[in-house]
């Protein structure tokens, strides 16, 4: 009987198949699609969110966003972790100002996008059964991209308008400026604005700021990110010689956390005016507070005045302004609370928007969860002061043309896609489960 097995004197050798472009792509993507990498990224994100949250104990939310999330590399302050261990474990790691580099929000977000995209190329097959998973992941990718786009291509401002008044400018949440104004005649002012970064740089380097339109130099001695109003003159870091600072001081405070509506930092500066030859004209101190008051009674204008060369200059240290091509008038302010509580029931701003450049004029109502969208800007009802009859509108502006116009809808579309994906995924699994039960029931009969 003949053996059917085939024997060889030497073992057979396999000829390696020539690698294609798809094979090379698969080899490159496979490590990036690792499930272990996904878990590591989630752990890093949890730690970053935890540190950013704890950091708000001593730092404002706008600074935390820039230092931890809206950056490629974040710098973790070990003192922040020491605050946590002191509260919960009764010991401090260190009292020194130590900052260590860590993964920033941008780097972490794009790593998640690459990991998820690579997983679809290497581990997921495009089948009807997995359609729900694909929709869910599509919503997640859109949400991640939308957050990156929001951070890079949007700017947030605040617009405060008193009832029966009109405004055509917005103010920044975290930037200030020093406006130097002088009368140019016919009711027009010449204005020179010194931006926030130049004021901070002068405070750090002690180098004066010059401008060809100004007959003096501006030297910043002290810059406080947040301040309070005080009548205690012993709290001056440097003694003012002219202006409001002679009567009032602006001691430094911890930055606000930003969790309370309308709660923003009020920077203060102590600066000196110098002649072009370097001779001191006067030392001033001021804050960005809208008005200096005792209780409800305004005490004085926050704008300082100095006379140089026979000309009067008005100096206003204020939150950075961005002017618009249109004007908004607050016709009526509606402020309602639930009876017997401080819980807001209805905040509504009845406004009239006028755009001289286009000839547009229309009335609109802005209330909670019902913003006004106009020319790439979205106006949200964020706060209201019934006592001062003032409304606070949060304004979000997007750049980027057509994409910028649809950007405010991104989070809604993302959440809708994720919800739809979950519905499809669970419906398919439910249908499979019901079919299996029917088969088992038929088999038993």
């Amino acid at each position: 009987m003949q053996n059917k097995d085939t024997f060889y004197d030497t073992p057979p050798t396999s000829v390696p198949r020539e690698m294609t472009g798809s094979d090379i792509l698969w080899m490159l993507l496979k490590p990036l699609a690792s499930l272990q990498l996904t878990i590591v990224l989630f752990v890093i994100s949890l730690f970053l969110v935890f540190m950013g949250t704890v950091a708000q104990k001593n730092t404002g939310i706008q600074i935390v966003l820039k230092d931890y999330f809206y950056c490629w590399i974040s710098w973790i302050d070990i003192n922040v972790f020491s605050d946590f261990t002191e509260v919960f474990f009764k010991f401090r790691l260190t009292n020194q100002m130590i900052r260590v580099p860590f993964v920033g929000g941008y780097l972490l977000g794009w790593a998640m996008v690459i990991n998820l995209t690579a997983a679809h190329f290497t581990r997921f097959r495009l089948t009807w059964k997995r359609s729900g998973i694909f929709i869910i992941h599509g919503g997640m990718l859109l949400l991640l991209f939308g957050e990156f786009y929001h951070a890079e291509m949007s700017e947030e401002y605040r617009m405060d308008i008193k009832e029966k008044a009109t405004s055509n400018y917005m103010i920044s949440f975290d930037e200030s400026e020093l406006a130097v104004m002088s009368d140019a005649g016919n009711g027009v002012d010449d204005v020179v604005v010194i931006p926030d970064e130049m004021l901070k740089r002068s405070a750090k380097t002690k180098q004066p700021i010059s401008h060809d339109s100004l007959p003096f130099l501006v030297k910043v001695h002290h810059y406080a990110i947040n301040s309070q109003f005080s009548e205690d003159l012993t709290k001056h870091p440097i003694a003012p010689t002219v202006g409001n600072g002679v009567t009032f001081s602006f001691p430094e405070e911890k930055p606000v956390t930003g969790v309370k509506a309308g709660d923003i930092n009020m920077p203060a500066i102590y600066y000196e005016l110098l002649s072009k030859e370097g001779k001191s004209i006067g030392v001033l101190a001021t804050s960005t507070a809208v008005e200096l008051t005792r209780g409800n009674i305004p005490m004085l204008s926050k704008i300082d005045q100095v006379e140089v060369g026979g000309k009067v200059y008005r100096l206003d240290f204020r939150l950075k302004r961005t002017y618009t091509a249109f004007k908004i008038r607050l016709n009526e302010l509606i402020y309602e609370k639930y009876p017997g509580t401080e819980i807001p029931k209805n905040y509504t701003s009845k406004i009239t928007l006028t755009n001289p450049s286009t000839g547009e004029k229309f009335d609109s109502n802005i209330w909670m969860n019902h913003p006004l969208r106009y020319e790439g800007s979205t106006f949200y009802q964020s706060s209201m002061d019934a006592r001062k009859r003032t409304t606070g509108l949060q304004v979000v502006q997007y750049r980027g043309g057509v994409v910028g116009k649809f950007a405010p809808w991104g989070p809604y579309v993302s959440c809708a896609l994720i919800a739809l994906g979950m519905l499809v995924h669970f419906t398919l699994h439910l249908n499979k489960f019901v079919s299996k039960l029917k088969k088992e029931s038929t088999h038993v009969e």
Side-chain angles (χ1 to χ4, degrees):
M1 185 173 175
Q2 203 172 24
N3 194 341
K4 294 182 179 180
D5 292 335
T6 303
F7 296 93
Y8 297 91
D9 294 333
T10 58
T13 58
S14 60
V15 179
R17 179 173 64 86
E18 184 178 352
M19 295 186 65
T20 64
S22 300
D23 295 328
I24 297 174
L25 179 62
W26 187 86
M27 291 180 61
L28 293 175
L29 291 179
K30 186 178 180 181
L32 299 176
S34 167
L35 185 59
Q36 289 83 355
L37 176 60
T38 305
I39 296 172
V40 170
L41 292 176
F42 271 109
V43 171
I44 292 174
S45 65
L46 289 173
F47 180 75
L48 185 63
V49 170
F50 169 77
M51 295 303 294
T53 303
V54 178
Q56 290 186 56
K57 177 178 179 292
N58 301 315
T59 309
I61 188 171
Q62 298 296 329
I63 297 175
V64 170
L65 286 173
K66 290 180 180 179
D67 290 350
Y68 286 78
F69 303 105
Y70 294 166
C71 59
W72 295 96
I73 300 295
S74 64
W75 289 87
I76 303 294
D77 185 358
I78 299 300
N79 262 326
V80 171
F81 201 70
S82 296
D83 292 339
F84 174 78
T85 58
E86 184 178 31
V87 172
F88 291 95
F89 302 104
K90 308 304 178 185
F91 75 92
R92 290 189 66 84
L93 294 176
T94 179
N95 288 315
Q96 300 298 320
M97 179 66 177
I98 303 174
R99 303 182 74 190
V100 296
F102 192 69
V103 177
Y106 284 172
L107 184 59
L108 180 60
W110 280 108
M112 287 182 169
V113 169
I114 294 172
N115 175 249
L116 187 57
T117 305
H120 278 276
F121 278 103
T122 59
R123 292 196 285 113
F124 295 102
R125 293 182 180 179
L126 186 58
T127 62
W128 173 248
K129 292 181 179 181
R130 289 188 174 271
S131 58
I133 297 296
F134 276 85
I135 297 174
I136 292 172
H137 288 177
M140 293 174 62
L141 289 173
L142 180 60
L143 193 64
L144 287 170
F145 174 77
E147 182 61 24
F148 178 79
Y149 187 89
H150 174 82
E152 286 295 300
M153 302 297 289
S154 72
E155 295 178 353
E156 295 188 20
Y157 302 94
R158 193 183 73 179
M159 179 178 279
D160 293 333
I161 315 174
K162 289 190 175 183
E163 197 171 35
K164 308 301 181 183
T166 302
S167 177
N168 67 333
Y169 67 87
M170 306 170 293
I171 59 176
S172 171
F173 282 96
D174 58 347
E175 291 185 78
S176 57
E177 61 187 17
L178 178 63
V180 184
M181 300 167 285
S182 58
D183 186 9
N186 298 322
V188 178
D189 280 340
D190 285 330
V191 182
V192 176
V193 175
I194 303 176
D196 191 62
E197 58 268 20
M198 293 184 68
L199 297 172
K200 290 179 179 178
R201 189 184 310 124
S202 177
K204 184 177 181 180
T205 63
K206 304 305 179 185
Q207 295 297 316
I209 302 167
S210 63
H211 193 278
D212 294 338
S213 300
L214 297 178
F216 50 77
L217 309 177
V218 178
K219 181 179 180 180
V220 182
H221 291 279
H222 180 73
Y223 187 108
I225 295 177
N226 191 28
S227 64
Q228 64 172 329
F229 170 69
S230 174
E231 297 180 65
D232 186 355
L233 301 184
T234 63
K235 294 185 177 181
H236 282 310
I238 180 174
T241 58
V242 295
N244 295 328
V246 175
T247 312
F248 305 101
S249 64
F250 308 95
E252 190 165 3
E253 284 279 290
K254 289 183 178 180
V256 299
T257 60
V259 297
K260 182 181 177 182
D263 193 12
I264 62 175
N265 289 317
M266 288 297 175
I269 57 171
Y270 286 76
Y271 63 102
E272 185 175 9
L273 302 183
L274 304 170
S275 67
K276 294 292 186 177
E277 294 76 26
K279 184 180 178 181
S280 178
I281 298 173
V283 177
L284 300 96
T286 186
S287 165
T288 58
V290 176
E291 58 185 358
L292 303 178
T293 64
R294 181 184 287 112
N296 298 330
I297 304 173
M299 290 185 292
L300 73 166
S301 168
K302 74 185 209 54
I303 299 178
D304 289 312
Q305 291 189 8
V306 295
E307 184 175 343
V308 180
K311 190 173 184 178
V312 175
Y313 291 87
R314 289 171 286 125
L315 301 108
D316 185 10
F317 180 59
R318 62 196 188 190
L319 293 173
K320 179 184 175 182
R321 292 184 180 182
T322 299
Y323 289 87
T324 62
F326 51 87
K327 299 178 180 180
I328 293 181
R329 170 183 167 83
L330 178 61
N331 300 318
E332 184 181 356
L333 180 151
I334 299 177
Y335 180 89
E336 297 177 351
K337 296 182 291 185
Y338 286 100
T341 72
E342 294 298 319
I343 301 174
K345 179 181 179 182
N346 178 25
Y347 289 175
T348 300
S349 299
K350 294 188 174 184
I351 62 101
T352 297
L353 189 147
T354 306
N355 192 336
S357 61
T358 62
E360 291 179 277
K361 183 176 181 179
F362 59 88
D363 296 331
S364 181
N365 292 342
I366 305 173
W367 71 98
M368 292 180 289
N369 301 320
H370 291 79
L372 167 67
R373 292 181 172 88
Y374 181 76
E375 289 195 348
S377 298
T378 305
F379 297 82
Y380 298 92
Q381 184 67 64
S382 62
S383 62
M384 190 169 286
D385 191 329
R387 179 176 56 84
K388 295 182 179 180
R389 306 301 296 173
T390 301
T391 188
L393 303 177
Q394 182 175 350
V395 189
V396 181
Q397 288 186 333
Y398 284 95
R399 304 184 298 274
V402 177
V403 178
K405 291 182 179 180
F406 288 98
W409 300 97
Y412 301 103
V413 176
S414 301
C415 293
L417 284 175
I418 293 173
L420 176 62
M422 293 176 68
L423 179 63
V424 171
H425 182 70
F426 288 119
T427 300
L428 290 174
H429 277 265
L430 179 61
N431 184 54
K432 182 180 178 181
F433 177 73
V434 172
S435 299
K436 184 179 179 181
L437 286 179
K438 288 182 178 181
K439 288 181 180 180
E440 291 177 351
S441 176
T442 303
H443 180 73
V444 172
E445 292 175 358

